[in-house]
Amino acid sequence: MKPKEEEAKNEGDGVAKSDSSEIPSLLVNTAQLPQPISQAQVQQISPSALAYLGDAIYELYVRMFFLLPQQRPESYHRLVVAQVRAETQALHLRSLTPHLRSNELEIVRRGRNAATGRPKRLNPEIYQQATSLETLVGYLYLTDYPRLMELLQKIHLEK
């Protein structure tokens, strides 16, 4: 196959899409986890542990968002860091708050109260809000994956 034909084939194979609506299908759904977690087990997980998980899921979502069009690794890093920093996460939480259900607001409250040991450069309120968002993401990842994707798609990420 000629290089131009192969390039055209690769462009049309549906893998390289920059549409953020494709991102959920690329993330792992909890139904595919090796050990399903029951609702009772989720309730026993501390808000700090949910934030730990949520931090990873949120960063993966942001990385997937910026993956296309292809860029240099330094550019990816700069774009992602701008979105996963505490100040931006706090803004994202504030933009999502009107869309949250009562049980989700309770998880946010639990996450805020669990936020300890903030970096010195940060206002404690900002750190609490960022931890709250991460806690919510971790919780929804384990309990309601479609709802998590619905909320993440409401976050305004700019390319």
Side-chain angles (χ1 to χ4, degrees):
M1 197 179 280
K2 294 179 185 173
K4 287 189 177 182
E5 289 174 354
E6 190 170 322
E7 187 177 310
K9 179 183 178 284
N10 289 341
E11 286 178 10
D13 67 6
V15 174
K17 294 192 180 210
S18 61
D19 183 4
S20 66
S21 66
E22 294 297 315
I23 295 171
S25 64
L26 299 173
L27 294 175
V28 176
N29 188 333
T30 55
Q32 300 168 346
L33 291 175
Q35 298 176 2
I37 299 174
S38 72
Q39 185 64 33
Q41 289 172 313
V42 171
Q43 295 301 325
Q44 294 175 351
I45 299 173
S46 72
S48 297
L50 291 172
Y52 175 76
L53 175 63
D55 177 57
I57 299 302
Y58 179 77
E59 184 165 342
L60 179 59
Y61 179 83
V62 172
R63 285 181 179 218
M64 298 293 289
F65 181 84
F66 288 114
L67 192 58
L68 296 172
Q70 289 188 0
Q71 301 176 46
R72 294 175 147 324
E74 302 82 35
S75 297
Y76 287 135
H77 179 73
R78 184 179 36 76
L79 290 166
V80 171
V81 166
Q83 296 301 313
V84 300
R85 57 184 301 166
E87 294 88 348
T88 307
Q89 287 182 340
L91 289 172
H92 290 165
L93 177 66
R94 282 183 244 142
S95 73
L96 287 178
T97 300
H99 305 283
L100 298 180
R101 300 171 181 159
S102 61
N103 65 321
E104 295 164 348
L105 289 169
E106 176 60 21
I107 294 299
V108 166
R109 185 193 63 74
R110 287 179 57 208
R112 182 183 64 238
N113 291 341
T116 59
R118 70 172 174 84
K120 292 183 183 198
R121 68 172 182 81
L122 278 180
N123 176 328
E125 206 171 294
I126 299 292
Y127 185 72
Q128 288 173 331
Q129 292 169 355
T131 303
S132 294
L133 176 66
E134 293 170 348
T135 303
L136 177 65
V137 169
Y139 175 80
L140 290 175
Y141 180 75
L142 294 174
T143 62
D144 193 349
Y145 186 79
R147 176 67 175 159
L148 172 62
M149 290 300 108
E150 177 187 331
L151 290 174
L152 287 177
Q153 289 176 359
K154 289 182 186 302
I155 291 175
H156 186 65
L157 300 176
E158 290 189 26
K159 288 197 174 193

